[in-house]
């Protein structure tokens, strides 16, 4: 049996510019079987036309018909370049969602720290922690290059920070200077991978937090370039499409070429 995550073909219904570095893509038309995990930082893999490689994007919202992804525009990048153009009407593939946020039921507070790529998850997490009769006190540190007033829901205590430079992050130092609340709580953070490694060490060694009290995820890699694939999927995909093959057939051939 295949262990590959389930995939859904969808179309870009709308593309809205939220800020100079953030685009909102609304996908639909093909997602009838899509099911949310309900975990507020859930993400999908997104495969854009002509590509095999996926990039991960947080499900900003899913209403049973339309899936909203908020996409950061970098200097270069596979999804960046595609999304920077008019992509409305394009067919994309998304993988089934997965989530990681696991706040204990007795948490009295939650701390959320992240850069622009983490904003969709922080917004959705805050929507859930602040909902209901018994909201959980929510603090957010957001390191973003744009003015995103109004992007986060009303309620959390938000500290806006400017990135130290393009493609840089100072979040490790920010976390070390946090005045930690007392009582039971949960810490969630996402951003550049090298910063996240430093923060995990800090939480384990200095704060001595059990692993159930935090979730720290590397969302992107700054310094090192991606390793080129041993077999470039692009030509295989194009040749397969030109020959009228299905995505499943093309994937099988790609796996064979890579493993062979
Ligand atoms: C679980 C998860 C959820 C995520 N959710 C979101 C989301 O909701 N929205 C979102 O925009 N991103 C999100 N990301 C991050 C996103 O997957 C990466 O930033 C991805 O690399 C962007 O793809 P790209 O094709 O534009 O650039 P790539 O082709 O992957 O990278 C091209 C170049 O850009 C650089 N680069 C990549 N990301 C950044 C960055 N953030 N800042 C500066 N330089 C960068 C790389 O180092 C590389 O040199 C998430 C990642 C994970 C793991």
């Amino acid at each position: 049996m295949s262990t590959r995550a389930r995939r859904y073909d969808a179309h870009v219904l709308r593309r809205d510019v939220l800020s100079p570095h953030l685009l909102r893509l609304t996908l639909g038309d093909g997602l009838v079987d899509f099911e949310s995990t309900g975990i507020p930082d859930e993400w999908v893999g997104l495969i854009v036309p002509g590509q095999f490689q996926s990039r991960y994007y947080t499900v900003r919202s899913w209403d049973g018909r339309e899936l909203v992804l908020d996409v950061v525009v970098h200097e270069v990048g596979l999804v960046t370049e595609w999304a920077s153009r008019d992509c409305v009407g394009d067919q994309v593939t998304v993988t089934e969602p997965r989530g990681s946020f696991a706040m204990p039921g007795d948490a009295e507070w939650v701390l959320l720290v992240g850069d622009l790529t983490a904003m969709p998850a922080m917004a959705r997490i805050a929507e859930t922690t602040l909902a209901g009769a018994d909201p959980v006190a929510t603090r957010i540190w957001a390191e973003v290059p744009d003015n995103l007033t109004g992007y986060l829901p009303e309620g959390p205590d938000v500290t806006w920070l400017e990135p130290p430079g393009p493609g840089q992050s100072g979040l490790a130092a920010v976390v070390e200077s946090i005045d930690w609340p007392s009582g039971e709580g949960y810490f969630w953070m996402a951003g550049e991978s090298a910063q996240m490694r430093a923060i995990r060490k800090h939480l384990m060694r200095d704060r001595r937090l059990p692993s159930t009290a935090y979730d720290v995820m590397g969302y992107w890699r700054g310094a090192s370039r991606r390793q080129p694939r041993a077999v470039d999927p692009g030509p295989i995909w194009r040749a397969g499409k030109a020959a009228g093959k299905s995505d499943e057939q093309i994937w099988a051939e790609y796996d064979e070429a890579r493993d062979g």
Side-chain angles (χ1 to χ4, degrees), residues 21-23 41-44 53-60 69-81 98 100 115-121 151 166-168 188 190-192 217-226:
H21 295 94
L22 197 60
L23 298 171
D41 69 345
E42 69 181 342
W43 63 85
V44 293
Q53 298 182 10
S54 64
R55 297 287 186 266
Y56 293 120
Y57 289 91
T58 304
V59 175
R60 179 65 192 86
L69 309 179
D70 288 348
V71 172
V72 178
V73 178
H74 313 297
E75 275 178 28
V76 289
L78 191 146
V79 171
T80 287
E81 278 156 42
R98 292 193 337 193
S100 164
D115 63 13
L116 192 55
T117 58
M119 286 299 280
Y151 183 85
Q168 291 177 11
W188 183 97
E192 201 276 319
M217 290 200 285
Y219 267 18
W220 57 281
R221 256 173 231 282
S224 60
R225 297 262 155 198
R226 279 172 193 279

Side-chain angles (χ1 to χ4, degrees), residues 142-146 159-165 168-171 174:
E143 186 184 68
V144 295
D146 302 342
T159 304
W160 296 100
L161 304 155
E162 258 184 54
Q168 291 177 11
S169 171
L171 287 177
V174 169

